[in-house]
Amino acid sequence: MKLNLALAVICLVATVFAQDQINGSLTASEPTTPSKPAPRTPDGHADLGGFWKGDRKMKPGGNIGKDLPGFKLPLTPAGQAALQYNLTKTIDPESLCIPGGIPRHNASGLPFMILQTPKYVAFLYFYTYYRLIPVDGRKHTDDPDPSFFGEEIGRWEGDTLVVDSIAFKDEKVWIDENANPHSDQLHVVERWTRPDADHIHVDTLIEDPKFYTKPFTYQRTWLAGAPDQTLAEYACSENNIDKDHLSPGPGDILPDGTRGYATLDPLPPPIKPTAPVKP
């Protein structure tokens, strides 16, 4: 399994490196000069638009439990069973080009863009997925169709964009990169703010009474990219030659909440040189 996961990581790193050459660094460090005030849109709201990159110092990445003691999510028995199933029976959905959804994308290490209009706020992701969130005062529908990002309804509370999401798919999904599950009862409330020109922040409330004993939160801050930075095309399914060889689960989850390899399989012995063949 470790070999298959290593091959998948190599393929992803190669793709990320290629995009890195096109668009500059995919992560950032805190600016060394004082930040300017956050810009505003003509209708008076905070302007969340721009290209946003993860902070290199944020750890552990990809773990929706990063703010919880011991990085442990409050799983119910049903949630624990679902996690065990994901660890042993399912392949990482994103490696199969299935949208990660929310809140998983908020834990991703990859950049994203926001485009903002008076009626919609759009999130554009590295994998060429997008979210189109209405902010025109509508309410949730009576019987929404389940989807990977859920039915998302936005509203402004001062300078805070509140996104309330329900009706999530409960199959072929992980809530984060560590294979944690969510059910069809997932309810996510995101509160997006832009404290200054260089930062955007989200506070996320996650509720799922089927799989989690209590609501919990996830918060994160991203850094602004260059003004002209944009996402390039990313074709996940094209030439995805490793998908048929991937094994279940996310790989080793280390005590510090990161993913990696606590132990590596030993390398094969070096090939002994052979004597040259005489003509």
Side-chain angles (χ1 to χ4, degrees), residues 6 11 24 40 66-67 71 98 124 132 137 140 157 176 182 191 218 234 260 275:
C11 292
R40 308 191 76 82
K66 79 174 187 65
D67 301 322
F71 315 110
I98 296 171
L124 312 180
L132 188 61
H140 283 298
E157 293 182 359
D176 64 5
H182 72 70
R191 302 182 66 87
Y218 174 88
Y234 179 94

Side-chain angles (χ1 to χ4, degrees), residues 18 20 30 35 39 46 52 99 103 107 121 137 142-144 149 161 164 185 192 194 212 219 254 273:
D20 188 40
E30 281 289 333
S35 183
W52 299 104
V121 178
D142 292 335
D143 187 22
F149 286 97
L161 173 66
D164 187 292
Q185 295 185 23
W192 290 88
R194 187 172 184 178
Y212 296 96
Q219 64 82 30
L254 306 181

Side-chain angles (χ1 to χ4, degrees), residues 130-238:
Y130 71 92
R131 306 163 65 191
L132 188 61
I133 301 165
V135 287
D136 55 5
R138 72 183 67 181
K139 306 297 182 182
H140 283 298
T141 57
D142 292 335
D143 187 22
D145 291 330
S147 61
F148 290 108
F149 286 97
E151 183 184 63
E152 306 176 292
I153 303 297
R155 67 181 186 273
W156 288 99
E157 293 182 359
D159 285 339
T160 300
L161 173 66
V162 181
V163 183
D164 187 292
S165 303
I166 61 172
F168 290 90
K169 287 181 180 287
D170 61 343
E171 295 181 350
K172 302 179 180 179
V173 291
W174 292 0
I175 203 171
D176 64 5
E177 294 179 7
N178 288 357
N180 285 298
H182 72 70
S183 77
D184 59 347
Q185 295 185 23
L186 177 66
H187 177 210
V188 178
V189 180
E190 303 158 80
R191 302 182 66 87
W192 290 88
T193 54
R194 187 172 184 178
D196 54 47
D198 293 323
H199 301 84
I200 194 170
H201 181 83
V202 70
D203 284 293
T204 306
L205 175 67
I206 301 164
E207 300 178 292
D208 186 344
K210 184 184 290 186
F211 282 177
Y212 296 96
T213 60
K214 59 184 179 180
F216 60 96
T217 58
Y218 174 88
Q219 64 82 30
R220 185 175 179 188
T221 299
W222 292 262
L223 300 165
D228 60 348
Q229 229 173 335
T230 61
L231 295 172
E233 182 179 87
Y234 179 94
C236 176
S237 58
E238 184 179 23

Side-chain angles (χ1 to χ4, degrees), residues 41-167:
T41 60
D43 59 1
H45 293 301
D47 188 351
L48 305 181
F51 185 96
W52 299 104
K53 304 189 289 187
D55 187 339
R56 294 190 183 102
K57 293 183 179 180
M58 195 205 80
K59 296 201 181 287
N63 188 336
I64 210 70
K66 79 174 187 65
D67 301 322
L68 302 177
F71 315 110
K72 298 295 186 181
L73 300 183
L75 291 160
T76 64
Q80 187 64 50
L83 171 60
Q84 191 61 29
Y85 181 85
N86 284 349
L87 291 171
T88 59
K89 302 294 184 182
T90 67
I91 295 170
D92 186 341
E94 284 195 348
S95 70
L96 302 178
C97 306
I98 296 171
I102 289 294
R104 178 169 180 174
H105 271 293
N106 287 349
S108 171
L110 297 175
F112 63 96
M113 292 182 67
I114 295 180
L115 305 178
Q116 186 172 328
T117 75
K119 292 187 177 182
Y120 291 94
V121 178
F123 286 68
L124 312 180
Y125 293 104
F126 184 91
Y127 292 119
T128 321
Y129 307 145
Y130 71 92
R131 306 163 65 191
L132 188 61
I133 301 165
V135 287
D136 55 5
R138 72 183 67 181
K139 306 297 182 182
H140 283 298
T141 57
D142 292 335
D143 187 22
D145 291 330
S147 61
F148 290 108
F149 286 97
E151 183 184 63
E152 306 176 292
I153 303 297
R155 67 181 186 273
W156 288 99
E157 293 182 359
D159 285 339
T160 300
L161 173 66
V162 181
V163 183
D164 187 292
S165 303
I166 61 172

